[in-house]
Amino acid sequence: LVFGGVGFGLLGRGLWVRRRLRAEALLARQHADEPWRWKEEWNAGEIHSSNKGRLLGALLFALFWNLISAPLLFFVPAEILDKGNKLALLALLFPLIGAALLVWALYEALAWRKYGASLFRMASVPGVIGGSLSGVVQTSVKVFPVEGYHVRLACVRRTTSGSGKNRKTNETVVWDDERQIDREVMETDLERSAILVMFAIPYDLP
């Protein structure tokens, strides 16, 4: 049931990705000279945080792993007590890893509960190399950082080489800039925070 459920889930995701790629290809044809309009999220000038995706990934992976490894908790003791097979103790590593995955999922859930979803709204679309990137980071909960808000913008070059087991991905920070912001722009709002962001992007960046 577990493997079958994962299989059908992958099929469903494949259909969803295929539909999304078709929509993006249509937008690329309609706006050939405006690449920032090739994706809906790019055109809207909104960047959503990745913490919700991490939470769902942690929960699904922990659930899948524990459904597979949980039966070992019933078979291993019988194997040891009835047959004296002490090597069967090695199989208990899988449930232990499952417990660690549950802790990881719990950590992500607590982080989601504490910070909620955040969103970066760009002041203008598109961002321009050699110009400025400005906008507002909005959180869905009120945040009270003791040392203010630390904001960083980075230009990262990601290169992938090889294939299969020899596939390697390296990341190099080409440029970055940091800001320390002491105050937000919605201090009277008790349900969310808004942090003003502004960076000057050098003209010689990729």
Side-chain angles (χ1 to χ4, degrees):
L1 287 175
V2 174
F3 284 106
V6 171
F8 283 111
L10 291 175
L11 286 173
R13 176 171 175 78
L15 294 174
W16 177 81
V17 170
R18 183 181 180 184
R19 186 181 306 166
R20 182 183 177 93
L21 290 176
R22 284 183 175 179
E24 291 176 357
L26 178 61
L27 289 174
R29 290 194 298 268
Q30 294 174 344
H31 308 284
D33 298 327
E34 300 172 308
W36 60 89
R37 302 183 68 178
W38 293 358
K39 293 180 181 287
E40 292 183 2
E41 58 268 29
W42 292 355
N43 191 33
E46 297 180 350
I47 302 175
H48 294 265
S49 60
S50 59
N51 53 353
K52 184 177 182 180
R54 290 199 307 269
L55 171 60
L56 291 177
L59 288 174
L60 289 175
F61 190 68
L63 178 62
F64 172 75
W65 186 282
N66 281 281
L67 285 175
I68 295 298
S69 61
L72 293 174
L73 295 175
F74 299 95
F75 294 116
V76 171
E79 187 74 12
I80 297 173
L81 296 176
D82 297 340
K83 301 180 181 179
N85 184 9
K86 295 183 178 180
L87 287 177
L89 286 171
L90 293 175
L92 293 178
L93 288 175
F94 292 95
L96 287 176
I97 294 175
L101 291 174
L102 287 176
V103 172
W104 170 44
L106 178 61
Y107 173 82
E108 294 292 345
L110 291 175
W112 171 260
R113 182 179 180 183
K114 181 177 181 180
Y115 298 109
S118 58
L119 172 70
F120 176 54
R121 297 185 185 274
M122 298 174 61
S124 61
V125 180
V128 180
I129 303 298
S132 63
L133 175 67
S134 58
V136 176
V137 175
Q138 296 181 350
T139 64
S140 59
V141 296
K142 193 68 174 179
V143 182
F144 299 97
V146 177
E147 299 179 355
Y149 304 89
H150 183 73
V151 185
R152 176 174 178 259
L153 177 67
C155 173
V156 180
R157 177 181 286 114
R158 182 183 292 110
T159 57
T160 302
S161 59
S163 61
K165 294 182 179 180
N166 297 322
R167 185 181 180 91
K168 295 182 179 180
T169 300
N170 296 319
E171 292 187 353
T172 304
V173 178
V174 180
W175 170 88
D176 68 339
D177 195 8
E178 300 181 358
R179 297 281 188 275
Q180 188 70 24
I181 302 173
D182 298 326
R183 302 178 62 181
E184 60 164 303
V185 295
M186 297 174 59
E187 294 182 333
T188 57
D189 193 326
L190 300 179
E191 297 183 354
R192 56 182 178 170
S193 296
I195 302 97
L196 186 63
V197 176
M198 183 175 293
F199 289 96
I201 303 177
Y203 69 91
D204 57 345
L205 290 179

